Amino acid sequence: MSLSADYPRFSLGHSLTIEQRAFFTKYGFLHFRPFASPEHVQQLLNATQEVQAEWLAQGVVKANGVPIKYGRDVDGSPIVQRFAFASQHHPVLHELVQDERFRALFPLLEAEGGRVGENEKDGLVVNHYVNVEGSEFSQMGWHTDSLRDVFYGKRIGPMLNVGLHLDGTKATNGGLRIIPGTHHQSLHKMLFRKKYYKDVYYDPNEIAIETEPGDLTVHDGRMWHRVARSPLTGEASRRRVMYVPIIAGKYQPKSEASPTPFYLRFLHLVK
């Protein structure tokens, strides 16, 4: 489905416009600018650093059954590169997922019972990409977010993946890539169009999502997407983004007693 890089960037209010809903129906994603102010972005970054310091000190391995991914920063110091359920560990992050503007996105699910999955799936995930020696997270191969339902033999449920981008990322510096319209694909194509996480290469149908700090993106869980590795190294390659699921259906919270989901047992392969 053809779409140029100058696709519209919208503003998110307390309800979606007809234009926004039509765009999402056709292409499977929306890009809002700005969502968070520079001051708010810095507060969020500070909060994640505080959670990171606590987890490093305590040697936290999992959050509600979800493995925590550690790596190395540009100076060689240990960092958390993938947080899970982060909003359960800091009031600033918890306040973020209570933002009333998220409710405007619920109609995109086209299902009853829409909610922010703060305590479900992987909760509020913080991904910290950096391209240096010792980093365990510099890219993520092609995947859809609906595969987890297939793993558990469930009917694919409605899901939106909502990303708050804390760094500006030009297309020339890696970052999010999506294939517009693939939320309409068949189940066979959702399962076999790409080799999950192993395929990391350019697709002629992909578009790059260039972000500024504070941007919000929303994509349908059935859509193919990846995170391209930055060609740069060190500080210039840094990219931090928070993701929270918006879901419907039966409420299925996680707890400290929750087992590690099968699909996350392969998280170590994502580098």
Side-chain angles (χ1 to χ4, degrees):
M1 182 174 292
S2 178
L3 185 68
S4 67
D6 62 350
Y7 63 84
R9 278 69 169 174
F10 300 104
S11 295
L12 181 60
H14 291 286
S15 63
L16 295 177
T17 67
I18 294 175
E19 180 187 9
Q20 290 167 355
R21 294 189 66 165
F23 186 93
F24 183 86
T25 297
K26 183 174 183 178
Y27 295 110
F29 79 101
L30 290 167
H31 188 164
F32 298 103
R33 175 179 294 166
F35 179 84
S37 67
E39 294 77 18
H40 192 195
V41 167
Q42 189 57 55
Q43 289 174 357
L44 296 170
L45 288 171
N46 292 344
T48 61
Q49 289 169 358
E50 291 174 13
V51 176
Q52 173 178 274
E54 179 180 339
W55 286 5
L56 286 169
Q58 296 179 0
V60 175
V61 176
K62 295 181 180 180
N64 295 342
V66 177
I68 306 304
K69 195 172 185 69
Y70 290 90
R72 296 285 173 178
D73 208 342
V74 295
D75 60 357
S77 61
I79 57 172
V80 178
Q81 294 204 260
R82 187 181 191 271
F83 301 71
F85 296 100
S87 66
Q88 295 182 358
H89 299 273
H90 201 286
V92 169
L93 303 180
H94 173 69
E95 183 180 6
L96 168 66
V97 297
Q98 311 307 313
D99 194 305
E100 284 294 318
R101 287 175 291 177
F102 287 133
R103 298 182 64 85
L105 303 173
F106 293 176
L108 298 177
L109 294 168
E110 296 185 347
E112 296 294 328
R115 61 190 179 275
V116 176
E118 181 178 16
N119 305 313
E120 301 172 86
K121 305 288 187 181
D122 296 352
L124 178 66
V125 169
V126 184
N127 289 334
H128 186 169
Y129 300 93
V130 61
N131 191 18
V132 295
E133 185 177 355
S135 171
E136 291 292 319
F137 216 26
S138 60
Q139 67 179 333
M140 184 176 287
W142 286 108
H143 64 285
T144 75
D145 299 317
S146 294
L147 182 66
R148 66 189 73 192
D149 288 341
V150 177
F151 264 125
Y152 289 107
K154 299 178 181 178
R155 180 180 180 182
I156 294 174
M159 174 188 172
L160 308 174
N161 210 346
V162 181
L164 178 55
H165 301 261
L166 305 179
D167 294 288
T169 305
K170 296 294 185 183
T172 52
N173 194 22
L176 180 62
R177 305 290 194 267
I178 64 171
I179 304 180
T182 49
H183 61 308
H184 292 308
Q185 68 195 330
S186 66
L187 178 61
H188 184 271
K189 287 188 175 181
M190 196 196 82
L191 294 175
F192 301 112
R193 178 172 183 153
K194 306 277 188 186
K195 293 180 180 178
Y196 271 76
Y197 299 110
K198 286 190 174 183
D199 285 348
V200 297
Y201 306 109
Y202 170 79
D203 186 294
N205 297 306
E206 74 177 44
I207 64 169
I209 305 298
E210 292 191 322
T211 60
E212 296 178 358
D215 282 8
L216 193 81
T217 57
V218 182
H219 68 257
D220 190 296
R222 297 166 293 182
M223 171 179 283
W224 281 100
H225 59 288
R226 70 181 176 110
V227 176
R229 174 182 284 145
S230 173
L232 307 177
T233 59
E235 187 62 39
S237 70
R238 192 181 306 280
R239 178 177 178 269
R240 292 158 293 188
V241 58
M242 297 178 167
Y243 281 104
V244 65
I246 288 181
I247 53 182
K250 182 181 178 181
Y251 180 56
Q252 297 179 307
K254 299 283 186 66
S255 70
E256 292 183 2
S258 296
T260 299
F262 178 77
Y263 63 92
L264 285 175
R265 297 177 185 177
F266 303 98
L267 185 61
H268 66 283
L269 299 176
V270 179
K271 296 185 178 183

